[in-house]
Amino acid sequence: MSQTLNFPDAVPKLFREAVCLRELTEEDIPTWFERASDPGSAVLAGDPIPESVEIGFQWLQRHRERFRQQAGIRWAIVPKGSTQSVGTIGLTITSKQECIAELGIVIGRAYWGKGIGTSAAHLVIDYAFNILGLAEIQAEVLQRNLASRRLLEKVGFHLLNTMPGDLQSDTNSEDFFLYVLSSQNRTDT
Ligand SMILES: CC(C)(COP(=O)(O)OP(=O)(O)OC[C@H]1O[C@@H](n2cnc3c(N)ncnc32)[C@H](O)[C@@H]1OP(=O)(O)O)[C@@H](O)C(=O)NCCC(=O)NCCS
Protein backbone atom coordinates (compact mmCIF):
# COMPACT_ATOMS: atom_id res chain seq x y z
CA MET A 1 0.00 0.00 0.00
CA SER A 2 1.42 3.39 -0.95
CA GLN A 3 0.62 6.52 1.05
CA THR A 4 2.07 10.02 1.28
CA LEU A 5 3.86 11.53 4.25
CA ASN A 6 2.35 14.65 5.76
CA PHE A 7 5.77 16.30 6.25
CA PRO A 8 5.56 19.53 8.33
CA ASP A 9 6.73 23.02 7.28
CA ALA A 10 8.34 23.57 10.68
CA VAL A 11 9.58 21.20 13.37
CA PRO A 12 6.49 20.70 15.55
CA LYS A 13 6.62 21.26 19.31
CA LEU A 14 5.43 18.13 21.17
CA PHE A 15 4.45 17.93 24.86
CA ARG A 16 3.91 15.22 27.42
CA GLU A 17 3.77 15.62 31.23
CA ALA A 18 7.49 15.08 31.79
CA VAL A 19 9.09 16.41 28.61
CA CYS A 20 8.83 18.88 25.76
CA LEU A 21 10.32 18.24 22.31
CA ARG A 22 11.24 21.31 20.29
CA GLU A 23 13.30 22.41 17.29
CA LEU A 24 17.12 22.29 17.68
CA THR A 25 18.85 25.67 18.02
CA GLU A 26 22.39 27.01 18.49
CA GLU A 27 21.74 26.95 22.27
CA ASP A 28 21.74 23.13 22.13
CA ILE A 29 25.32 22.93 20.83
CA PRO A 30 27.19 22.99 24.21
CA THR A 31 25.06 20.16 25.68
CA TRP A 32 25.34 18.26 22.37
CA PHE A 33 29.14 18.54 22.60
CA GLU A 34 29.19 17.24 26.17
CA ARG A 35 27.04 14.22 25.20
CA ALA A 36 28.87 13.52 21.97
CA SER A 37 32.24 13.63 23.76
CA ASP A 38 31.21 10.81 26.13
CA PRO A 39 32.91 7.79 24.51
CA GLY A 40 30.66 5.19 26.15
CA SER A 41 27.51 6.94 24.98
CA ALA A 42 28.86 7.77 21.51
CA VAL A 43 29.67 4.14 20.73
CA LEU A 44 26.16 3.06 21.78
CA ALA A 45 24.62 5.77 19.61
CA GLY A 46 26.95 4.94 16.70
CA ASP A 47 28.19 8.53 16.51
CA PRO A 48 31.77 9.77 15.97
CA ILE A 49 33.36 11.81 18.77
CA PRO A 50 33.65 15.48 17.71
CA GLU A 51 37.03 17.21 17.86
CA SER A 52 35.69 20.55 19.05
CA VAL A 53 32.48 22.32 19.99
CA GLU A 54 32.62 24.20 16.64
CA ILE A 55 31.64 20.92 14.91
CA GLY A 56 28.28 21.50 16.59
CA PHE A 57 27.41 24.15 14.00
CA GLN A 58 27.87 21.53 11.26
CA TRP A 59 25.79 19.07 13.31
CA LEU A 60 22.97 21.63 13.58
CA GLN A 61 23.25 22.57 9.91
CA ARG A 62 23.09 18.88 8.90
CA HIS A 63 19.83 18.38 10.81
CA ARG A 64 18.34 21.59 9.39
CA GLU A 65 19.27 20.51 5.86
CA ARG A 66 17.80 17.03 6.38
CA PHE A 67 14.58 18.65 7.55
CA ARG A 68 14.52 21.04 4.57
CA GLN A 69 14.90 18.05 2.25
CA GLN A 70 12.12 16.21 4.11
CA ALA A 71 14.64 13.48 4.95
CA GLY A 72 14.33 13.64 8.73
CA ILE A 73 13.18 15.50 11.85
CA ARG A 74 15.33 15.91 14.98
CA TRP A 75 14.04 17.37 18.23
CA ALA A 76 15.76 18.69 21.35
CA ILE A 77 14.50 16.93 24.49
CA VAL A 78 13.75 19.38 27.33
CA PRO A 79 12.57 17.98 30.71
CA LYS A 80 9.66 19.71 32.43
CA GLY A 81 10.79 22.69 34.52
CA SER A 82 14.02 23.15 32.56
CA THR A 83 14.95 25.40 29.66
CA GLN A 84 18.04 23.40 28.63
CA SER A 85 17.93 20.33 26.44
CA VAL A 86 19.35 17.07 27.82
CA GLY A 87 19.32 15.06 24.60
CA THR A 88 17.88 14.67 21.14
CA ILE A 89 15.49 12.30 19.41
CA GLY A 90 14.72 12.00 15.73
CA LEU A 91 13.30 10.20 12.75
CA THR A 92 15.32 9.63 9.60
CA ILE A 93 13.11 8.79 6.62
CA THR A 94 14.58 5.63 5.09
CA SER A 95 11.79 4.99 2.55
CA LYS A 96 9.47 7.79 1.42
CA GLN A 97 7.63 5.37 -0.83
CA GLU A 98 6.89 2.87 1.95
CA CYS A 99 6.68 5.52 4.70
CA ILE A 100 9.41 3.99 6.86
CA ALA A 101 11.74 5.88 9.20
CA GLU A 102 14.50 5.04 11.64
CA LEU A 103 14.35 6.25 15.24
CA GLY A 104 17.45 7.67 16.93
CA ILE A 105 17.80 8.94 20.50
CA VAL A 106 20.63 10.13 22.74
CA ILE A 107 20.36 11.49 26.28
CA GLY A 108 23.14 12.94 28.46
CA ARG A 109 24.50 10.39 30.94
CA ALA A 110 23.49 12.50 33.98
CA TYR A 111 19.84 12.12 32.93
CA TRP A 112 19.73 8.38 32.20
CA GLY A 113 17.20 6.20 34.00
CA LYS A 114 14.69 8.96 34.79
CA GLY A 115 12.08 7.96 32.20
CA ILE A 116 12.97 10.88 29.88
CA GLY A 117 13.85 8.62 26.94
CA THR A 118 10.63 6.63 27.25
CA SER A 119 8.49 9.81 27.39
CA ALA A 120 10.27 11.32 24.39
CA ALA A 121 9.87 8.11 22.38
CA HIS A 122 6.13 7.99 23.14
CA LEU A 123 5.75 11.55 21.85
CA VAL A 124 7.64 10.86 18.61
CA ILE A 125 5.81 7.59 17.95
CA ASP A 126 2.38 9.21 18.45
CA TYR A 127 3.37 12.03 16.10
CA ALA A 128 4.91 9.65 13.54
CA PHE A 129 1.83 7.45 13.18
CA ASN A 130 -1.01 9.91 13.89
CA ILE A 131 0.22 13.01 12.03
CA LEU A 132 3.28 12.35 9.88
CA GLY A 133 1.69 9.21 8.45
CA LEU A 134 4.51 6.70 8.85
CA ALA A 135 3.64 3.05 8.30
CA GLU A 136 6.67 1.68 10.16
CA ILE A 137 9.48 2.81 12.47
CA GLN A 138 12.71 0.84 12.75
CA ALA A 139 15.59 1.05 15.23
CA GLU A 140 19.05 -0.53 15.10
CA VAL A 141 20.55 -1.25 18.50
CA LEU A 142 23.80 -2.87 19.63
CA GLN A 143 22.97 -6.18 21.29
CA ARG A 144 24.64 -5.07 24.53
CA ASN A 145 22.65 -1.81 24.69
CA LEU A 146 20.20 -3.05 27.32
CA ALA A 147 18.78 0.39 28.18
CA SER A 148 17.89 1.14 24.57
CA ARG A 149 16.44 -2.34 24.00
CA ARG A 150 14.30 -2.01 27.13
CA LEU A 151 13.13 1.45 26.07
CA LEU A 152 12.12 0.18 22.61
CA GLU A 153 10.26 -2.81 24.05
CA LYS A 154 8.45 -0.56 26.55
CA VAL A 155 7.10 1.67 23.80
CA GLY A 156 5.92 -1.28 21.69
CA PHE A 157 8.78 -2.26 19.33
CA HIS A 158 9.48 -5.93 18.68
CA LEU A 159 12.70 -7.62 17.68
CA LEU A 160 12.76 -8.46 13.97
CA ASN A 161 16.23 -9.90 13.45
CA THR A 162 19.94 -9.81 14.23
CA MET A 163 22.37 -8.06 11.92
CA PRO A 164 25.98 -9.21 12.19
CA GLY A 165 28.65 -6.56 12.67
CA ASP A 166 31.49 -6.13 10.19
CA LEU A 167 34.38 -8.16 11.64
CA GLN A 168 36.86 -6.27 9.44
CA SER A 169 35.82 -2.95 10.94
CA ASP A 170 37.40 -1.42 14.05
CA THR A 171 34.35 0.67 14.85
CA ASN A 172 31.46 -1.43 13.53
CA SER A 173 32.24 -5.01 14.49
CA GLU A 174 29.48 -5.65 17.05
CA ASP A 175 26.17 -7.39 16.24
CA PHE A 176 23.01 -5.28 16.04
CA PHE A 177 19.37 -6.02 16.71
CA LEU A 178 16.78 -4.60 14.32
CA TYR A 179 13.57 -3.58 16.10
CA VAL A 180 10.35 -2.54 14.33
CA LEU A 181 7.03 -0.96 15.21
CA SER A 182 4.34 -0.77 12.56
CA SER A 183 1.25 1.41 12.65
CA GLN A 184 -0.94 -1.66 12.15
CA ASN A 185 0.51 -3.73 15.00
CA ARG A 186 0.68 -0.85 17.37
CA THR A 187 -1.23 -0.80 20.65
CA ASP A 188 -1.36 2.56 22.46
CA THR A 189 0.77 2.37 25.61
C1 LIG B 1 19.11 4.56 25.55
C2 LIG B 1 18.77 5.87 26.27
C3 LIG B 1 18.25 6.90 25.26
C4 LIG B 1 17.66 5.56 27.29
O1 LIG B 1 17.18 6.81 27.83
P1 LIG B 1 16.69 6.91 29.35
O2 LIG B 1 16.04 8.23 29.53
O3 LIG B 1 17.82 6.59 30.24
O4 LIG B 1 15.59 5.75 29.37
P2 LIG B 1 14.46 5.53 30.48
O5 LIG B 1 14.86 6.18 31.77
O6 LIG B 1 13.17 5.90 29.88
O7 LIG B 1 14.59 3.95 30.71
C5 LIG B 1 14.17 2.99 29.79
C6 LIG B 1 14.22 1.61 30.43
O8 LIG B 1 15.55 1.08 30.36
C7 LIG B 1 15.93 0.58 31.62
N1 LIG B 1 17.37 0.67 31.74
C8 LIG B 1 18.14 1.77 31.86
N2 LIG B 1 19.43 1.42 31.91
C9 LIG B 1 19.49 0.08 31.82
C10 LIG B 1 20.53 -0.88 31.80
N3 LIG B 1 21.81 -0.51 31.88
N4 LIG B 1 20.21 -2.19 31.69
C11 LIG B 1 18.93 -2.58 31.58
N5 LIG B 1 17.88 -1.72 31.58
C12 LIG B 1 18.17 -0.41 31.71
C13 LIG B 1 15.19 1.48 32.59
O9 LIG B 1 15.15 0.89 33.88
C14 LIG B 1 13.84 1.57 31.91
O10 LIG B 1 13.07 0.40 32.09
P3 LIG B 1 11.98 0.27 33.29
O11 LIG B 1 11.03 1.42 33.13
O12 LIG B 1 11.36 -1.05 33.06
O13 LIG B 1 12.72 0.36 34.60
C15 LIG B 1 20.00 6.44 27.04
O14 LIG B 1 20.47 5.43 27.90
C16 LIG B 1 21.13 6.88 26.11
O15 LIG B 1 21.13 8.00 25.62
N6 LIG B 1 22.11 5.99 25.88
C17 LIG B 1 23.29 6.32 25.02
C18 LIG B 1 22.93 6.46 23.55
C19 LIG B 1 22.09 5.30 23.05
O16 LIG B 1 22.29 4.15 23.43
N7 LIG B 1 21.16 5.63 22.16
C20 LIG B 1 20.31 4.64 21.54
C21 LIG B 1 21.00 4.09 20.33
S1 LIG B 1 19.94 2.94 19.51
Side-chain angles (χ1 to χ4, degrees):
M1 188 183 63
S2 173
Q3 55 189 75
T4 317
L5 288 182
N6 182 24
F7 206 89
D9 294 332
V11 175
K13 211 169 187 178
L14 308 175
F15 293 90
R16 199 177 156 100
E17 314 87 61
V19 293
C20 165
L21 304 186
R22 59 149 174 80
E23 183 177 18
L24 295 173
T25 72
E26 281 74 8
E27 287 178 13
D28 298 312
I29 291 175
T31 50
W32 163 81
F33 182 65
E34 206 180 312
R35 266 191 319 276
S37 306
D38 175 341
S41 172
V43 75
L44 292 176
D47 293 333
I49 296 183
E51 280 166 19
S52 70
V53 71
E54 279 68 40
I55 306 283
F57 291 94
Q58 296 170 23
W59 163 78
L60 182 60
Q61 199 47 42
R62 202 165 49 245
H63 284 298
R64 285 179 172 160
E65 187 55 25
R66 267 190 212 152
F67 181 78
R68 204 185 59 73
Q69 294 180 355
Q70 302 195 342
I73 311 176
R74 195 89 190 177
W75 288 268
I77 303 172
V78 184
K80 192 177 178 189
S82 173
T83 49
Q84 270 206 337
S85 62
V86 299
T88 69
I89 185 165
L91 294 166
T92 302
I93 310 294
T94 50
S95 170
K96 247 184 192 167
Q97 187 106 17
E98 295 175 78
C99 298
I100 301 176
E102 189 174 331
L103 181 75
I105 178 167
V106 188
I107 289 174
R109 191 178 284 273
Y111 302 90
W112 288 1
K114 299 177 189 292
I116 296 172
T118 303
S119 290
H122 274 301
L123 276 171
V124 168
I125 291 165
D126 285 347
Y127 173 79
F129 289 136
N130 299 339
I131 297 173
L132 185 58
L134 285 181
E136 184 173 294
I137 307 175
Q138 303 181 341
E140 288 181 11
V141 188
L142 284 181
Q143 273 191 11
R144 69 179 162 96
N145 193 346
L146 300 181
S148 185
R149 286 168 52 188
R150 175 77 188 123
L151 182 155
L152 291 169
E153 284 161 9
K154 274 178 71 180
V155 299
F157 280 76
H158 69 268
L159 181 60
L160 188 66
N161 59 31
T162 306
M163 300 185 304
D166 177 1
L167 292 175
Q168 310 300 318
S169 164
D170 290 340
T171 53
N172 222 356
S173 59
E174 291 188 52
D175 292 353
F176 278 85
F177 279 153
L178 175 63
Y179 280 86
V180 294
L181 176 59
S182 78
S183 59
Q184 284 169 347
N185 297 340
R186 179 177 179 234
T187 48
D188 279 321
T189 47

